[in-house]
């Protein structure tokens, strides 16, 4: 009888330890880049989210996320006006050219030449769990897609 009680207690405690609260699950939600439109100059206007200790850090992260989406991933959310195919669609190109992209995306790196804020932030959301004090801001970012593609060709990352 005692063994049965111990086994039931252990199983029930394992079940309770493995459960997560809804607020912890909600805190890990990721925001995806969304297309708002394309411009005649070859740029795209995107809604991008950035996370940081303050508003400036979040803005830089949002710019990096927007450029990352244009370079490596397709933009599936929002309007269909944006060119959905990434500029660099070779498999593992980011890992193969890691040195180049680490320098490109570093703080005050070349990525800043290809992204600008079109508008003020459109939203602010405090992080749900609040453990590290990070905030998430949403920004409207204009990415100069055609200029970014030319730069990748010039730097030898993309073949013409």
């Amino acid at each position: 009888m005692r063994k049965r009680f111990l086994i039931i207690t252990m199983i029930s405690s394992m079940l309770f330890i493995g459960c997560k609260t809804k607020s912890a699950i909600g805190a890990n939600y990721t925001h995806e880049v969304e297309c708002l439109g394309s411009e005649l100059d070859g740029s795209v206007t995107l809604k991008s989210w950035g996370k940081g200790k303050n508003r400036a850090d979040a803005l830089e992260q949002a710019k990096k996320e927007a450029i990352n989406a244009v370079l490596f991933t397709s933009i599936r959310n929002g309007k269909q006006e944006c060119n959905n195919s990434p500029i660099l669609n070779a498999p593992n190109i980011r890992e193969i050219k890691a040195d180049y992209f680490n320098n490109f995306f570093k703080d005050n790196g070349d990525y800043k030449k290809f992204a600008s804020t079109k508008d003020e932030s459109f939203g602010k959301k405090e992080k749900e769990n609040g453990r590290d004090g990070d905030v998430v801001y949403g920004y409207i970012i204009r990415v100069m897609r055609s200029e970014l593609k030319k730069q990748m060709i010039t730097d030898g990352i993309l073949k013409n």
Side-chain angles (χ1 to χ4, degrees), residues 64 67-68 71-72 87-88 90 92-107 109-111 148 151-152 155-158:
K64 290 178 184 180
I67 291 175
N68 188 63
L71 280 175
F72 304 110
I87 292 174
L88 303 172
N92 300 326
I93 188 71
R94 183 145 191 189
E95 289 79 22
I96 294 168
K97 302 285 187 176
D99 292 338
Y100 175 83
F101 288 113
N102 288 342
N103 285 329
F104 186 80
F105 283 112
K106 72 179 179 182
D107 293 340
D110 289 341
Y111 77 93
L148 187 58
Q151 185 68 43
M152 293 297 120
D155 292 345
I157 304 299
L158 180 66

Side-chain angles (χ1 to χ4, degrees), residues 33-39 43-50 55-56 58-70 75 82 111-122 137-145:
V33 176
E34 181 179 337
C35 173
L36 298 179
S38 63
E39 311 301 328
S43 64
V44 290
T45 305
L46 306 170
K47 181 170 33 170
S48 180
W49 294 84
R55 190 174 176 153
L59 173 60
E60 293 309 310
Q61 187 63 36
K63 287 179 181 179
K64 290 178 184 180
E65 290 294 327
I67 291 175
N68 188 63
V70 170
I75 302 168
C82 295
Y111 77 93
K112 287 186 171 218
K113 294 187 237 176
F114 305 102
S116 65
T117 53
K118 182 180 178 186
D119 232 343
E120 283 296 310
S121 69
F122 60 84
Y137 284 94
Y139 290 94
I140 297 174
I141 307 286
R142 179 171 288 163
V143 176
M144 281 54 98
R145 182 182 169 87

Side-chain angles (χ1 to χ4, degrees), residues 27 29-31 48-55 58-59 61-62 121-128 133-139:
Y29 178 74
T30 58
H31 301 285
S48 180
W49 294 84
K51 176 176 138 178
K53 296 287 181 193
N54 55 43
R55 190 174 176 153
L59 173 60
Q61 187 63 36
S121 69
F122 60 84
K124 175 186 175 189
K125 182 177 181 186
E126 296 284 334
K127 188 174 178 187
E128 282 89 351
D134 284 352
V135 291
V136 178
Y137 284 94
Y139 290 94

Side-chain angles (χ1 to χ4, degrees), residues 6-19:
L6 286 174
I7 291 172
I8 292 172
T9 305
M10 286 175 37
I11 291 173
S12 62
S13 64
M14 282 191 252
L15 290 174
F16 287 119
I17 290 172
C19 293

